[in-house]
Amino acid sequence: MSDIVVYGAGGTAGSRIVAEAVGRGHRVTAAVRRPEAVTWLPAAAHLVTGDATSTQSVRDLAGAADVIVVAVGGGERALWRDAAQTLTTVLRDLPNPPRVIHVGGGATLLTSKDTPLLDEPDFPDEYRDAALGQADALAWYRSSADGVTWTYLSPPPLEFHPGERTGRYRTGTEHPVVDEQGRSVLTYEDLAVVIVDEIENPRFENMRFTAAY
């Protein structure tokens, strides 16, 4: 059993990660900005006010945690890098820092030309700021996270949506995992499975990975 803090626990990804972790018997602290507005999390989760970009919040919650999951979203470009920077800066000063698992962006995965998908000329403008923000966070972990164990998970870049929990998936590292039709697909429910599997059996420490069917 692990003590897990989930930042962004009220969101589409975060709420499913909380449910999956609680369902497997882990102790989960669900950190959200407005706890009074979140009513859909499992009763076994400990709901608290939390902000992954707040030094005080991370200090308050990190001490008893084995793992911190970052599943934040909906902010300006700086949100994701600020969260990565805050977490790594605070955690490296702890005697036994928890591991960080960051739910990242699929647009940072690479094309067959080994260039980021977000650099493609037809990449949608409405998603660019979020994609760039997630790219900034990945760059931060890779360059500035000394002393902290981290993992960055990129979901599929396009076909990633709520749906069925199957418990099945395949993993890769820098390029999307595709099926026989060339599609890269995953549900949020199975993203949660991927995250909790990685917590229970670490395979991708200090690196980025991806998963799909």
Side-chain angles (χ1 to χ4, degrees), residues 12-13 15-17 19-21 24 160-169 186-196 213:
T12 306
S15 60
R16 286 159 172 81
I17 294 165
E20 180 72 22
R24 296 204 209 176
F160 176 46
H161 45 70
E164 180 185 359
R165 182 195 185 281
T166 70
R168 298 180 295 100
Y169 60 89
L186 191 72
T187 64
Y188 278 93
E189 286 73 11
D190 280 328
L191 175 87
V193 174
V194 175
I195 291 283
V196 181
Y213 301 127

Side-chain angles (χ1 to χ4, degrees), residues 36-81:
E36 70 278 3
V38 178
T39 59
W40 51 88
L41 295 178
H46 178 46
L47 186 62
V48 300
T49 301
D51 178 356
T53 67
S54 163
T55 297
Q56 189 61 56
S57 175
V58 174
R59 284 177 178 159
D60 289 345
L61 298 180
D66 299 308
V67 180
I68 294 178
V69 178
V70 183
V72 298
E76 301 294 329
R77 172 177 173 174
L79 170 66
W80 295 276
R81 183 183 181 279

Side-chain angles (χ1 to χ4, degrees), residues 145-211:
D146 294 345
V148 176
T149 301
W150 60 273
T151 297
Y152 183 105
L153 171 59
S154 288
L158 295 175
E159 297 189 68
F160 176 46
H161 45 70
E164 180 185 359
R165 182 195 185 281
T166 70
R168 298 180 295 100
Y169 60 89
R170 295 175 294 136
T171 59
T173 52
E174 296 302 305
H175 298 82
V177 173
V178 298
D179 62 17
E180 294 178 352
Q181 289 74 45
R183 297 174 62 198
S184 184
V185 185
L186 191 72
T187 64
Y188 278 93
E189 286 73 11
D190 280 328
L191 175 87
V193 174
V194 175
I195 291 283
V196 181
D197 282 353
E198 180 63 18
I199 290 171
E200 294 177 345
N201 297 291
R203 294 191 296 151
F204 299 100
E205 292 185 343
N206 298 325
M207 62 185 297
R208 181 258 288 282
F209 80 110
T210 186

Side-chain angles (χ1 to χ4, degrees), residues 53-167:
T53 67
S54 163
T55 297
Q56 189 61 56
S57 175
V58 174
R59 284 177 178 159
D60 289 345
L61 298 180
D66 299 308
V67 180
I68 294 178
V69 178
V70 183
V72 298
E76 301 294 329
R77 172 177 173 174
L79 170 66
W80 295 276
R81 183 183 181 279
D82 287 350
Q85 182 175 4
T86 301
L87 284 159
T88 55
T89 300
V90 172
L91 298 186
R92 67 165 56 99
D93 290 335
L94 299 181
N96 295 295
R99 179 186 180 191
V100 176
I101 299 183
H102 183 112
V103 181
T108 61
L109 292 167
L110 304 182
T111 69
S112 59
K113 299 174 289 187
D114 286 335
T115 56
L117 288 158
L118 65 87
D119 288 346
E120 291 295 285
D122 59 348
F123 188 82
D125 287 340
E126 61 266 33
Y127 302 129
R128 187 166 300 280
D129 274 358
L132 289 170
Q134 288 284 21
D136 295 341
L138 178 58
W140 176 269
Y141 286 117
R142 285 174 164 169
S143 67
S144 305
D146 294 345
V148 176
T149 301
W150 60 273
T151 297
Y152 183 105
L153 171 59
S154 288
L158 295 175
E159 297 189 68
F160 176 46
H161 45 70
E164 180 185 359
R165 182 195 185 281
T166 70

